[in-house]
Amino acid sequence: MKYSILLLFLFLALNLNGQNYQPDWESLDKRPVPQWFEDSKFGIFIHWGVYSVPSWGPTGDSIGVYDKYAEWYWRKMDQPGKVQKYFKEFHLKTYGPDFKYQDFAPMFKAELFDPEQWAELFKESGAKYIVLTSKHHEGFTLWPSAQSWNWNSVDIGPHRDLCGDLTTAVKKQGLHMGFYYSLYEWYNPIYRSDLNSYVDNHMIPQMIDLVIRYTPDILWTDGEWDKPSKEWKSEAFLTWLYNESPVKENIVVNDRWGSETRSKHGGIYTTEYGLIGDKEGIDSSIPHPWEECRGIGTSFGYNRNENLNDYSTPEQLIKLLVSTVSAGGNLLLDIGPDADGTIPVIMQQRLLDIGKWLKINGEAIYGTRAFIMSKKDEAINPETNKTIFFTQKNKDVYVICLDWPKSDIILKGLKPINKTKVQLLGTNISVAVKKAGGNLVITPPVLTPDDNQLAYVFKINSLNF
Ligand code: H79
Protein backbone atom coordinates (compact mmCIF):
# COMPACT_ATOMS: atom_id res chain seq x y z
CA MET A 1 0.00 0.00 0.00
CA LYS A 2 2.66 2.42 1.10
CA TYR A 3 4.71 1.43 -1.86
CA SER A 4 1.95 2.18 -4.32
CA ILE A 5 1.29 5.61 -2.83
CA LEU A 6 4.96 6.33 -3.16
CA LEU A 7 4.84 5.23 -6.76
CA LEU A 8 1.87 7.47 -7.42
CA PHE A 9 3.69 10.47 -6.01
CA LEU A 10 6.74 9.62 -7.99
CA PHE A 11 4.59 9.34 -11.10
CA LEU A 12 2.99 12.73 -10.47
CA ALA A 13 6.29 14.37 -9.66
CA LEU A 14 8.00 13.06 -12.76
CA ASN A 15 4.87 13.28 -14.87
CA LEU A 16 5.86 9.97 -16.39
CA ASN A 17 3.49 10.18 -19.29
CA GLY A 18 5.45 13.27 -20.25
CA GLN A 19 2.50 15.49 -20.94
CA ASN A 20 3.13 18.77 -19.33
CA TYR A 21 2.95 21.24 -22.15
CA GLN A 22 2.92 24.94 -21.42
CA PRO A 23 0.52 27.36 -23.12
CA ASP A 24 3.08 28.76 -25.52
CA TRP A 25 4.11 27.68 -29.01
CA GLU A 26 7.66 26.94 -27.96
CA SER A 27 6.43 24.21 -25.66
CA LEU A 28 3.45 23.02 -27.73
CA ASP A 29 5.54 22.67 -30.87
CA LYS A 30 7.69 20.07 -29.08
CA ARG A 31 4.87 17.56 -29.09
CA PRO A 32 5.62 14.91 -31.72
CA VAL A 33 2.87 14.20 -34.22
CA PRO A 34 1.51 10.75 -33.26
CA GLN A 35 3.07 8.19 -35.55
CA TRP A 36 -0.20 6.67 -36.72
CA PHE A 37 -0.78 9.79 -38.77
CA GLU A 38 2.39 9.70 -40.84
CA ASP A 39 2.00 5.96 -41.34
CA SER A 40 -1.55 6.37 -42.65
CA LYS A 41 -0.71 8.49 -45.71
CA PHE A 42 -4.20 8.62 -47.15
CA GLY A 43 -7.35 10.10 -45.63
CA ILE A 44 -10.75 11.24 -46.84
CA PHE A 45 -12.05 14.73 -46.22
CA ILE A 46 -15.82 15.24 -46.23
CA HIS A 47 -17.41 18.64 -46.82
CA TRP A 48 -21.07 18.40 -46.00
CA GLY A 49 -23.42 21.08 -44.73
CA VAL A 50 -26.16 23.50 -45.72
CA TYR A 51 -24.07 24.49 -48.79
CA SER A 52 -24.62 20.94 -50.07
CA VAL A 53 -28.19 22.02 -50.93
CA PRO A 54 -27.45 24.69 -53.58
CA SER A 55 -24.20 22.79 -54.29
CA TRP A 56 -23.10 25.25 -56.87
CA GLY A 57 -20.01 27.20 -57.82
CA PRO A 58 -18.52 28.64 -61.00
CA THR A 59 -16.11 26.45 -62.95
CA GLY A 60 -13.51 26.92 -65.65
CA ASP A 61 -9.94 28.07 -66.08
CA SER A 62 -10.69 31.77 -65.66
CA ILE A 63 -11.91 31.30 -62.07
CA GLY A 64 -9.36 31.34 -59.21
CA VAL A 65 -8.76 28.24 -57.07
CA TYR A 66 -10.59 29.57 -53.99
CA ASP A 67 -13.40 31.11 -56.04
CA LYS A 68 -14.63 27.72 -57.22
CA TYR A 69 -15.50 26.45 -53.76
CA ALA A 70 -19.21 25.61 -53.54
CA GLU A 71 -19.04 25.64 -49.71
CA TRP A 72 -18.42 29.40 -49.96
CA TYR A 73 -21.82 29.98 -51.60
CA TRP A 74 -23.24 32.20 -48.81
CA ARG A 75 -20.20 34.40 -48.51
CA LYS A 76 -19.47 34.74 -52.22
CA MET A 77 -23.02 35.84 -52.87
CA ASP A 78 -22.71 38.68 -50.35
CA GLN A 79 -19.08 39.64 -50.60
CA PRO A 80 -18.00 42.06 -53.34
CA GLY A 81 -15.44 40.28 -55.49
CA LYS A 82 -14.65 38.75 -58.83
CA VAL A 83 -17.19 35.95 -58.63
CA GLN A 84 -20.03 37.54 -56.69
CA LYS A 85 -22.00 38.12 -59.87
CA TYR A 86 -21.98 34.42 -60.79
CA PHE A 87 -23.25 33.32 -57.39
CA LYS A 88 -25.88 36.07 -57.26
CA GLU A 89 -27.10 35.38 -60.75
CA PHE A 90 -27.44 31.66 -60.08
CA HIS A 91 -29.21 32.25 -56.80
CA LEU A 92 -31.70 34.77 -58.14
CA LYS A 93 -32.50 32.69 -61.17
CA THR A 94 -32.90 29.47 -59.23
CA TYR A 95 -34.36 30.46 -55.88
CA GLY A 96 -35.59 34.03 -56.29
CA PRO A 97 -34.82 37.26 -54.43
CA ASP A 98 -36.61 36.39 -51.18
CA PHE A 99 -34.83 33.11 -50.60
CA LYS A 100 -32.24 33.38 -47.86
CA TYR A 101 -29.29 31.05 -47.36
CA GLN A 102 -30.87 29.95 -44.08
CA ASP A 103 -33.85 28.69 -46.08
CA PHE A 104 -31.63 25.92 -47.44
CA ALA A 105 -31.29 24.36 -43.97
CA PRO A 106 -34.65 22.51 -43.95
CA MET A 107 -33.79 21.21 -47.44
CA PHE A 108 -30.65 19.55 -46.09
CA LYS A 109 -32.41 16.28 -45.24
CA ALA A 110 -29.79 13.55 -45.56
CA GLU A 111 -32.71 11.17 -46.07
CA LEU A 112 -30.54 8.58 -47.82
CA PHE A 113 -27.57 8.86 -45.45
CA ASP A 114 -26.27 5.42 -44.57
CA PRO A 115 -23.16 5.86 -42.41
CA GLU A 116 -22.31 2.15 -42.53
CA GLN A 117 -22.32 2.24 -46.31
CA TRP A 118 -20.09 5.32 -46.32
CA ALA A 119 -17.68 3.68 -43.91
CA GLU A 120 -17.50 0.52 -46.04
CA LEU A 121 -16.67 2.62 -49.07
CA PHE A 122 -13.97 4.47 -47.12
CA LYS A 123 -12.47 1.20 -45.96
CA GLU A 124 -12.45 -0.11 -49.55
CA SER A 125 -10.72 3.06 -50.75
CA GLY A 126 -7.68 2.27 -48.65
CA ALA A 127 -7.99 5.49 -46.66
CA LYS A 128 -6.97 5.18 -43.02
CA TYR A 129 -8.65 8.26 -41.62
CA ILE A 130 -11.67 10.47 -42.15
CA VAL A 131 -12.12 14.18 -41.51
CA LEU A 132 -15.72 15.44 -41.49
CA THR A 133 -16.75 19.11 -41.43
CA SER A 134 -18.32 19.36 -37.98
CA LYS A 135 -18.83 23.07 -38.71
CA HIS A 136 -17.77 25.11 -41.74
CA HIS A 137 -17.55 28.91 -41.95
CA GLU A 138 -21.36 29.15 -42.16
CA GLY A 139 -21.53 28.10 -38.48
CA PHE A 140 -24.00 25.24 -39.00
CA THR A 141 -22.98 22.25 -36.89
CA LEU A 142 -23.43 18.60 -37.86
CA TRP A 143 -23.88 17.70 -34.23
CA PRO A 144 -26.34 18.94 -31.56
CA SER A 145 -24.15 21.77 -30.33
CA ALA A 146 -25.70 23.76 -27.48
CA GLN A 147 -23.79 26.80 -28.74
CA SER A 148 -25.39 26.57 -32.15
CA TRP A 149 -29.02 26.52 -31.18
CA ASN A 150 -31.37 26.02 -34.13
CA TRP A 151 -28.44 26.08 -36.52
CA ASN A 152 -27.43 22.44 -36.30
CA SER A 153 -28.34 19.15 -37.97
CA VAL A 154 -30.46 17.88 -35.08
CA ASP A 155 -32.65 20.97 -34.71
CA ILE A 156 -33.17 21.48 -38.45
CA GLY A 157 -32.75 19.52 -41.66
CA PRO A 158 -31.60 15.94 -41.14
CA HIS A 159 -32.71 15.88 -37.47
CA ARG A 160 -29.79 13.63 -36.89
CA ASP A 161 -26.42 13.71 -35.15
CA LEU A 162 -24.36 13.33 -38.31
CA CYS A 163 -21.01 13.61 -36.50
CA GLY A 164 -22.01 10.93 -34.01
CA ASP A 165 -23.51 8.52 -36.52
CA LEU A 166 -20.55 8.72 -38.88
CA THR A 167 -18.05 8.44 -36.03
CA THR A 168 -19.61 5.18 -34.86
CA ALA A 169 -19.57 3.66 -38.34
CA VAL A 170 -16.04 4.82 -39.19
CA LYS A 171 -14.56 3.57 -35.93
CA LYS A 172 -16.31 0.23 -36.46
CA GLN A 173 -14.35 -0.16 -39.70
CA GLY A 174 -11.13 0.38 -37.77
CA LEU A 175 -10.44 3.77 -39.33
CA HIS A 176 -9.43 6.93 -37.50
CA MET A 177 -12.15 9.54 -37.20
CA GLY A 178 -11.54 13.27 -37.12
CA PHE A 179 -13.27 16.61 -37.46
CA TYR A 180 -12.75 19.77 -39.43
CA TYR A 181 -13.74 22.80 -37.38
CA SER A 182 -13.84 26.41 -38.58
CA LEU A 183 -12.64 28.91 -35.98
CA TYR A 184 -14.35 31.85 -37.64
CA GLU A 185 -17.98 32.20 -38.60
CA TRP A 186 -18.94 34.60 -41.36
CA TYR A 187 -22.21 35.88 -39.97
CA ASN A 188 -22.31 35.00 -36.28
CA PRO A 189 -23.24 38.32 -34.63
CA ILE A 190 -21.27 37.47 -31.48
CA TYR A 191 -18.17 36.74 -33.54
CA ARG A 192 -18.59 40.07 -35.26
CA SER A 193 -19.29 42.14 -32.15
CA ASP A 194 -17.43 40.50 -29.27
CA LEU A 195 -14.59 38.18 -30.23
CA ASN A 196 -13.64 37.41 -26.66
CA SER A 197 -17.11 36.23 -25.82
CA TYR A 198 -17.30 34.21 -29.04
CA VAL A 199 -14.03 32.45 -28.24
CA ASP A 200 -14.87 31.79 -24.56
CA ASN A 201 -18.55 30.97 -24.84
CA HIS A 202 -18.88 29.51 -28.30
CA MET A 203 -15.72 28.34 -30.05
CA ILE A 204 -13.73 26.73 -27.24
CA PRO A 205 -16.80 25.07 -25.67
CA GLN A 206 -17.68 23.65 -29.10
CA MET A 207 -14.20 22.19 -29.62
CA ILE A 208 -14.19 20.71 -26.12
CA ASP A 209 -17.67 19.29 -26.73
CA LEU A 210 -16.51 17.62 -29.96
CA VAL A 211 -13.49 16.13 -28.23
CA ILE A 212 -15.39 14.82 -25.21
CA ARG A 213 -18.41 13.48 -27.06
CA TYR A 214 -16.68 11.74 -29.95
CA THR A 215 -13.01 11.30 -28.89
CA PRO A 216 -11.70 12.09 -32.37
CA ASP A 217 -8.16 11.34 -33.52
CA ILE A 218 -7.92 14.53 -35.58
CA LEU A 219 -9.01 18.09 -34.99
CA TRP A 220 -8.53 19.92 -38.27
CA THR A 221 -9.09 23.63 -37.70
CA ASP A 222 -9.50 26.26 -40.42
CA GLY A 223 -10.73 29.84 -40.88
CA GLU A 224 -7.86 30.83 -38.61
CA TRP A 225 -6.46 33.58 -40.84
CA ASP A 226 -8.89 36.19 -39.54
CA LYS A 227 -7.15 36.63 -36.14
CA PRO A 228 -3.77 35.94 -34.56
CA SER A 229 -3.56 32.79 -32.43
CA LYS A 230 -3.50 34.81 -29.19
CA GLU A 231 -6.98 36.12 -29.92
CA TRP A 232 -8.29 32.63 -30.62
CA LYS A 233 -6.60 31.49 -27.37
CA SER A 234 -5.25 28.59 -29.38
CA GLU A 235 -2.26 27.96 -27.13
CA ALA A 236 -4.47 27.61 -24.06
CA PHE A 237 -6.82 25.24 -25.86
CA LEU A 238 -3.99 23.06 -27.16
CA THR A 239 -2.48 22.86 -23.69
CA TRP A 240 -5.73 21.35 -22.47
CA LEU A 241 -5.91 19.07 -25.50
CA TYR A 242 -2.35 17.75 -25.09
CA ASN A 243 -2.22 17.55 -21.29
CA GLU A 244 -5.69 16.79 -20.03
CA SER A 245 -8.13 15.77 -22.71
CA PRO A 246 -9.28 12.18 -23.25
CA VAL A 247 -7.57 12.19 -26.66
CA LYS A 248 -4.19 13.51 -25.52
CA GLU A 249 -2.27 10.43 -26.74
CA ASN A 250 -3.55 10.10 -30.29
CA ILE A 251 -4.93 13.47 -31.31
CA VAL A 252 -3.45 15.07 -34.40
CA VAL A 253 -3.94 18.76 -35.11
CA ASN A 254 -2.84 20.95 -37.99
CA ASP A 255 -1.13 24.33 -38.32
CA ARG A 256 -4.25 26.50 -38.68
CA TRP A 257 -4.42 28.15 -35.27
CA GLY A 258 -4.05 31.85 -36.09
CA SER A 259 -3.06 34.23 -38.87
CA GLU A 260 0.65 33.68 -38.12
CA THR A 261 0.76 29.91 -37.57
CA ARG A 262 0.70 28.08 -40.92
CA SER A 263 3.85 26.04 -41.50
CA LYS A 264 5.16 27.36 -38.18
CA HIS A 265 3.11 26.16 -35.23
CA GLY A 266 0.77 23.40 -34.15
CA GLY A 267 0.87 19.89 -35.60
CA ILE A 268 0.99 18.91 -39.23
CA TYR A 269 1.57 21.54 -41.90
CA THR A 270 -1.15 21.83 -44.50
CA THR A 271 -1.42 22.75 -48.14
CA GLU A 272 -4.65 23.20 -50.05
CA TYR A 273 -4.65 22.63 -53.82
CA GLY A 274 -0.90 22.91 -53.39
CA LEU A 275 -1.10 26.35 -51.82
CA ILE A 276 -0.50 27.81 -48.37
CA GLY A 277 -2.87 30.77 -48.25
CA ASP A 278 -1.87 32.70 -51.33
CA LYS A 279 1.60 31.16 -51.71
CA GLU A 280 3.05 28.06 -53.34
CA GLY A 281 3.04 24.98 -51.09
CA ILE A 282 5.37 23.29 -48.71
CA ASP A 283 9.15 23.12 -48.73
CA SER A 284 9.33 19.37 -48.27
CA SER A 285 13.10 19.41 -47.84
CA ILE A 286 12.41 20.61 -44.28
CA PRO A 287 11.18 17.41 -42.65
CA HIS A 288 7.91 18.00 -40.84
CA PRO A 289 4.74 15.94 -41.22
CA TRP A 290 2.47 17.61 -43.73
CA GLU A 291 -0.71 17.00 -45.62
CA GLU A 292 -2.14 18.15 -48.93
CA CYS A 293 -5.92 18.52 -49.16
CA ARG A 294 -8.08 19.06 -52.22
CA GLY A 295 -11.24 17.85 -53.86
CA ILE A 296 -11.48 15.19 -56.54
CA GLY A 297 -12.86 18.06 -58.58
CA THR A 298 -12.29 21.78 -58.05
CA SER A 299 -14.47 22.25 -54.96
CA PHE A 300 -14.66 20.75 -51.47
CA GLY A 301 -18.45 20.97 -51.11
CA TYR A 302 -20.42 19.18 -53.82
CA ASN A 303 -20.68 21.31 -56.96
CA ARG A 304 -23.42 20.18 -59.34
CA ASN A 305 -22.05 22.57 -61.92
CA GLU A 306 -18.97 20.42 -62.48
CA ASN A 307 -18.61 18.11 -65.45
CA LEU A 308 -16.52 15.01 -65.92
CA ASN A 309 -13.57 17.05 -67.16
CA ASP A 310 -13.51 19.01 -63.87
CA TYR A 311 -12.77 15.77 -62.00
CA SER A 312 -9.32 14.27 -61.70
CA THR A 313 -8.87 11.01 -63.57
CA PRO A 314 -7.80 7.88 -61.65
CA GLU A 315 -4.30 8.30 -63.14
CA GLN A 316 -4.11 11.89 -61.91
CA LEU A 317 -5.23 10.86 -58.43
CA ILE A 318 -2.62 8.13 -58.18
CA LYS A 319 -0.01 10.64 -59.32
CA LEU A 320 -1.21 13.05 -56.65
CA LEU A 321 -1.03 10.38 -53.96
CA VAL A 322 2.35 9.07 -55.04
CA SER A 323 4.00 12.46 -55.51
CA THR A 324 2.66 13.63 -52.14
CA VAL A 325 3.79 10.54 -50.25
CA SER A 326 7.20 10.49 -51.94
CA ALA A 327 7.70 14.04 -50.66
CA GLY A 328 6.87 12.86 -47.14
CA GLY A 329 3.27 14.07 -47.07
CA ASN A 330 -0.21 12.67 -46.57
CA LEU A 331 -3.08 13.12 -48.99
CA LEU A 332 -6.44 14.19 -47.59
CA LEU A 333 -8.72 13.78 -50.59
CA ASP A 334 -12.09 15.45 -50.35
CA ILE A 335 -15.53 14.24 -51.30
CA GLY A 336 -18.68 16.37 -51.23
CA PRO A 337 -21.76 14.31 -50.47
CA ASP A 338 -25.15 15.40 -51.75
CA ALA A 339 -27.61 17.04 -49.33
CA ASP A 340 -29.65 13.82 -49.56
CA GLY A 341 -26.82 11.84 -47.95
CA THR A 342 -25.56 10.03 -51.04
CA ILE A 343 -21.98 10.20 -52.25
CA PRO A 344 -21.93 11.16 -55.94
CA VAL A 345 -21.18 8.02 -57.94
CA ILE A 346 -18.15 9.56 -59.68
CA MET A 347 -16.57 10.12 -56.26
CA GLN A 348 -17.33 6.55 -55.20
CA GLN A 349 -15.74 5.32 -58.41
CA ARG A 350 -12.58 7.34 -57.91
CA LEU A 351 -12.22 6.19 -54.30
CA LEU A 352 -12.60 2.58 -55.34
CA ASP A 353 -10.03 3.03 -58.12
CA ILE A 354 -7.53 4.26 -55.56
CA GLY A 355 -8.46 1.39 -53.25
CA LYS A 356 -7.89 -1.17 -55.97
CA TRP A 357 -4.44 0.24 -56.68
CA LEU A 358 -3.58 0.36 -52.98
CA LYS A 359 -4.60 -3.27 -52.47
CA ILE A 360 -1.70 -4.26 -54.70
CA ASN A 361 0.71 -1.41 -54.13
CA GLY A 362 -0.17 -0.20 -50.64
CA GLU A 363 3.09 -1.39 -49.13
CA ALA A 364 4.85 1.29 -51.21
CA ILE A 365 2.65 3.91 -49.51
CA TYR A 366 1.61 3.00 -45.95
CA GLY A 367 4.27 3.34 -43.29
CA THR A 368 6.82 4.72 -45.74
CA ARG A 369 8.87 7.87 -45.53
CA ALA A 370 10.37 10.16 -48.14
CA PHE A 371 13.47 8.61 -49.66
CA ILE A 372 16.14 11.22 -49.22
CA MET A 373 19.24 10.57 -51.23
CA SER A 374 22.54 11.97 -50.24
CA LYS A 375 23.75 15.17 -51.91
CA LYS A 376 26.12 13.43 -54.29
CA ASP A 377 23.20 11.51 -55.73
CA GLU A 378 21.16 14.53 -56.65
CA ALA A 379 21.18 13.46 -60.28
CA ILE A 380 18.36 11.06 -59.49
CA ASN A 381 16.59 13.13 -56.90
CA PRO A 382 12.90 12.29 -57.36
CA GLU A 383 12.16 15.96 -57.82
CA THR A 384 14.08 15.97 -61.07
CA ASN A 385 11.99 13.21 -62.52
CA LYS A 386 8.27 13.75 -62.63
CA THR A 387 7.20 10.25 -63.61
CA ILE A 388 9.32 8.15 -61.25
CA PHE A 389 8.90 8.56 -57.51
CA PHE A 390 10.56 6.91 -54.53
CA THR A 391 9.48 5.92 -51.05
CA GLN A 392 11.35 4.05 -48.37
CA LYS A 393 10.63 1.65 -45.54
CA ASN A 394 13.60 0.44 -43.51
CA LYS A 395 16.07 -1.11 -45.97
CA ASP A 396 13.59 -1.33 -48.80
CA VAL A 397 13.08 1.25 -51.50
CA TYR A 398 10.01 1.48 -53.69
CA VAL A 399 10.38 2.83 -57.20
CA ILE A 400 6.97 3.97 -58.37
CA CYS A 401 6.66 4.50 -62.12
CA LEU A 402 3.62 6.38 -63.36
CA ASP A 403 4.34 5.17 -66.88
CA TRP A 404 5.47 1.70 -67.78
CA PRO A 405 9.24 1.97 -68.29
CA LYS A 406 10.09 0.85 -71.79
CA SER A 407 13.81 0.67 -71.12
CA ASP A 408 16.16 0.02 -68.20
CA ILE A 409 15.69 2.11 -65.10
CA ILE A 410 19.11 3.31 -64.04
CA LEU A 411 19.26 4.36 -60.42
CA LYS A 412 22.47 6.21 -59.85
CA GLY A 413 24.15 5.83 -56.53
CA LEU A 414 21.97 3.01 -55.20
CA LYS A 415 24.12 0.16 -54.04
CA PRO A 416 22.73 -3.35 -54.33
CA ILE A 417 24.21 -6.08 -52.13
CA ASN A 418 24.25 -9.80 -52.96
CA LYS A 419 20.84 -10.49 -51.58
CA THR A 420 19.21 -7.43 -53.16
CA LYS A 421 16.13 -8.51 -55.08
CA VAL A 422 13.67 -6.56 -57.17
CA GLN A 423 10.02 -7.42 -57.36
CA LEU A 424 7.20 -5.91 -59.40
CA LEU A 425 4.29 -5.61 -56.98
CA GLY A 426 1.16 -7.40 -58.06
CA THR A 427 2.96 -9.93 -60.29
CA ASN A 428 5.01 -13.07 -59.79
CA ILE A 429 7.45 -12.01 -62.43
CA SER A 430 11.06 -11.97 -61.28
CA VAL A 431 12.79 -8.79 -62.27
CA ALA A 432 16.36 -8.64 -63.45
CA VAL A 433 18.60 -6.37 -61.45
CA LYS A 434 22.27 -5.69 -61.91
CA LYS A 435 25.02 -3.55 -60.59
CA ALA A 436 26.66 -1.37 -63.19
CA GLY A 437 29.34 1.10 -62.29
CA GLY A 438 27.92 2.09 -58.92
CA ASN A 439 24.38 2.19 -60.29
CA LEU A 440 21.51 -0.17 -59.84
CA VAL A 441 19.86 -1.13 -63.10
CA ILE A 442 16.38 -2.61 -63.28
CA THR A 443 15.35 -4.25 -66.52
CA PRO A 444 11.56 -4.13 -66.75
CA PRO A 445 10.00 -7.51 -67.56
CA VAL A 446 7.53 -8.19 -70.34
CA LEU A 447 4.00 -7.37 -69.25
CA THR A 448 0.71 -8.78 -70.39
CA PRO A 449 -2.54 -6.78 -70.50
CA ASP A 450 -3.59 -8.47 -67.24
CA ASP A 451 -0.76 -6.71 -65.44
CA ASN A 452 -2.02 -3.28 -66.42
CA GLN A 453 -2.01 -0.83 -63.51
CA LEU A 454 -2.38 2.88 -62.81
CA ALA A 455 1.26 2.99 -61.68
CA TYR A 456 3.92 0.31 -61.35
CA VAL A 457 5.94 -0.36 -58.26
CA PHE A 458 9.34 -2.00 -58.22
CA LYS A 459 10.30 -2.98 -54.72
CA ILE A 460 14.02 -3.13 -54.09
CA ASN A 461 14.68 -5.36 -51.08
CA SER A 462 17.67 -4.97 -48.86
CA LEU A 463 19.58 -2.06 -50.17
CA ASN A 464 22.81 -1.05 -48.61
CA PHE A 465 22.68 2.58 -47.56
O1 H79 B 1 -12.87 24.02 -46.23
C1 H79 B 1 -12.14 24.23 -47.40
C2 H79 B 1 -12.21 25.65 -47.86
O2 H79 B 1 -13.53 26.12 -47.90
C3 H79 B 1 -11.39 26.34 -46.80
N1 H79 B 1 -10.34 25.40 -46.50
C4 H79 B 1 -10.66 24.15 -47.15
C5 H79 B 1 -10.21 22.97 -46.33
C6 H79 B 1 -10.93 27.63 -47.23
N2 H79 B 1 -11.51 28.70 -46.91
N3 H79 B 1 -10.87 29.70 -47.43
N4 H79 B 1 -9.87 29.28 -48.06
C7 H79 B 1 -9.86 27.99 -47.98
C8 H79 B 1 -8.94 30.11 -48.74
C9 H79 B 1 -8.94 31.42 -48.12
C10 H79 B 1 -8.14 32.31 -48.66
C11 H79 B 1 -8.17 33.62 -48.17
FE1 H79 B 1 -6.59 34.52 -47.45
C12 H79 B 1 -8.49 34.07 -46.89
C13 H79 B 1 -7.86 34.70 -48.97
C14 H79 B 1 -7.94 35.85 -48.17
C15 H79 B 1 -8.33 35.46 -46.86
C16 H79 B 1 -5.14 33.13 -47.27
C17 H79 B 1 -5.35 33.75 -46.04
C18 H79 B 1 -4.72 34.10 -48.14
C19 H79 B 1 -4.67 35.29 -47.46
C20 H79 B 1 -5.06 35.06 -46.19
Side-chain angles (χ1 to χ4, degrees):
M1 182 64 193
K2 254 189 178 166
Y3 181 65
S4 59
I5 288 176
L6 199 73
L7 262 182
L8 182 69
F9 273 106
L10 193 71
F11 182 81
L12 287 174
L14 294 176
N15 188 18
L16 282 183
N17 61 358
Q19 281 159 334
N20 190 14
Y21 293 99
Q22 305 301 309
D24 56 66
W25 287 123
E26 202 196 332
S27 170
L28 296 165
D29 289 342
K30 294 205 171 86
R31 179 178 184 263
V33 170
Q35 195 190 326
W36 73 261
F37 180 82
E38 272 200 279
D39 286 347
S40 299
K41 296 298 176 201
F42 176 40
I44 296 175
F45 215 173
I46 306 170
H47 274 63
W48 200 29
V50 173
Y51 45 81
S52 311
V53 176
S55 52
W56 190 91
T59 59
D61 294 341
S62 64
I63 314 285
V65 173
Y66 299 138
D67 284 343
K68 293 179 177 176
Y69 292 176
E71 70 277 12
W72 273 67
Y73 188 93
W74 195 6
R75 188 77 187 126
K76 293 288 177 192
M77 205 164 50
D78 290 348
Q79 192 183 33
K82 279 190 210 144
V83 289
Q84 186 185 24
K85 60 177 184 293
Y86 300 116
F87 282 91
K88 266 178 117 164
E89 187 188 280
F90 172 79
H91 189 79
L92 278 175
K93 179 179 80 183
T94 317
Y95 305 104
D98 300 326
F99 196 97
K100 296 200 301 281
Y101 183 82
Q102 293 91 317
D103 296 330
F104 287 126
M107 296 163 75
F108 176 33
K109 285 204 179 325
E111 69 274 21
L112 297 174
F113 176 45
D114 181 347
E116 305 253 325
Q117 198 181 28
W118 283 27
E120 272 170 42
L121 171 71
F122 301 157
K123 177 84 180 176
E124 278 298 296
S125 78
K128 300 292 185 198
Y129 60 98
I130 305 300
V131 181
L132 170 68
T133 47
S134 66
K135 181 193 88 173
H136 203 259
H137 314 324
E138 63 185 4
F140 185 91
T141 63
L142 302 197
W143 88 100
S145 164
Q147 289 76 29
S148 195
W149 183 73
N150 264 354
W151 192 231
N152 69 68
S153 68
V154 175
D155 288 343
I156 347 172
H159 294 290
R160 201 167 165 179
D161 177 1
L162 304 175
C163 288
D165 291 351
L166 190 63
T167 298
T168 306
V170 163
K171 287 188 177 178
K172 212 168 112 191
Q173 287 289 352
L175 307 178
H176 295 277
M177 182 65 196
F179 296 114
Y180 168 104
Y181 179 85
S182 174
L183 300 184
Y184 93 140
E185 290 183 20
W186 292 318
Y187 299 111
N188 185 324
I190 308 169
Y191 176 68
R192 293 183 148 211
S193 64
D194 186 349
L195 181 69
N196 207 38
S197 168
Y198 170 85
V199 170
D200 287 349
N201 304 317
H202 186 94
M203 186 193 95
I204 290 182
Q206 281 192 326
M207 291 198 289
I208 292 177
D209 188 24
L210 272 177
V211 164
I212 300 215
R213 265 182 209 252
Y214 309 114
T215 54
D217 286 335
I218 301 172
L219 185 62
W220 209 103
T221 45
D222 195 17
E224 85 296 356
W225 57 80
D226 222 26
K227 311 281 173 203
S229 64
K230 281 274 180 286
E231 292 185 32
W232 295 123
K233 304 185 185 175
S234 298
E235 292 152 304
F237 172 75
L238 287 171
T239 309
W240 171 79
L241 193 68
Y242 293 173
N243 287 341
E244 320 271 342
S245 80
V247 297
K248 62 184 179 184
E249 301 292 336
N250 280 334
I251 192 81
V252 171
V253 301
N254 67 11
D255 58 351
R256 303 188 177 192
W257 292 101
S259 49
E260 84 291 11
T261 62
R262 279 198 203 185
S263 286
K264 289 195 181 66
H265 300 303
I268 59 163
Y269 296 169
T270 56
T271 57
E272 181 171 327
Y273 284 92
L275 302 169
I276 300 175
D278 46 13
K279 290 193 263 319
E280 279 290 308
I282 225 102
D283 177 1
S284 58
S285 66
I286 301 164
H288 186 93
W290 66 279
E291 177 186 68
E292 155 74 358
C293 68
R294 65 168 72 196
I296 299 177
T298 59
S299 171
F300 286 91
Y302 183 35
N303 182 0
R304 293 177 293 145
N305 196 29
E306 285 183 327
N307 284 310
L308 187 58
N309 61 3
D310 293 303
Y311 283 88
S312 297
T313 62
E315 288 79 5
Q316 287 169 329
L317 291 173
I318 293 299
K319 177 173 186 180
L320 177 67
L321 176 66
V322 164
S323 58
T324 303
V325 172
S326 77
N330 281 29
L331 175 63
L332 181 61
L333 187 66
D334 182 83
I335 58 166
D338 193 301
D340 66 12
T342 58
I343 296 172
V345 172
I346 180 81
M347 300 181 194
Q348 297 187 30
Q349 179 76 66
R350 292 294 186 266
L351 292 184
L352 293 177
D353 285 337
I354 298 172
K356 194 171 156 206
W357 186 82
L358 282 169
K359 269 207 184 87
I360 294 173
N361 300 293
E363 68 162 285
I365 300 292
Y366 305 123
T368 64
R369 295 294 182 268
F371 176 46
I372 312 287
M373 298 191 202
S374 62
K375 277 260 181 285
K376 68 180 167 53
D377 299 326
E378 260 170 12
I380 52 159
N381 186 308
E383 286 307 303
T384 63
N385 185 331
K386 294 298 175 202
T387 63
I388 300 184
F389 294 88
F390 301 83
T391 60
Q392 177 185 350
K393 206 186 298 178
N394 305 318
K395 290 268 175 201
D396 299 337
V397 170
Y398 297 92
V399 183
I400 308 172
C401 304
L402 299 182
D403 301 321
W404 178 250
K406 293 194 182 70
S407 53
D408 284 0
I409 308 169
I410 300 164
L411 302 172
K412 291 182 201 161
L414 289 191
K415 296 184 194 71
I417 52 176
N418 283 343
K419 63 174 184 179
T420 299
K421 282 203 306 266
V422 175
Q423 183 196 347
L424 175 60
L425 297 188
T427 72
N428 300 319
I429 309 167
S430 72
V431 180
V433 58
K434 59 177 189 262
K435 221 192 306 195
N439 301 329
L440 185 150
V441 179
I442 297 172
T443 304
V446 174
L447 274 200
T448 68
D450 287 349
D451 302 314
N452 189 26
Q453 291 194 46
L454 290 168
Y456 302 88
V457 180
F458 293 97
K459 176 185 184 181
I460 311 177
N461 289 90
S462 314
L463 264 180
N464 185 19
F465 57 89

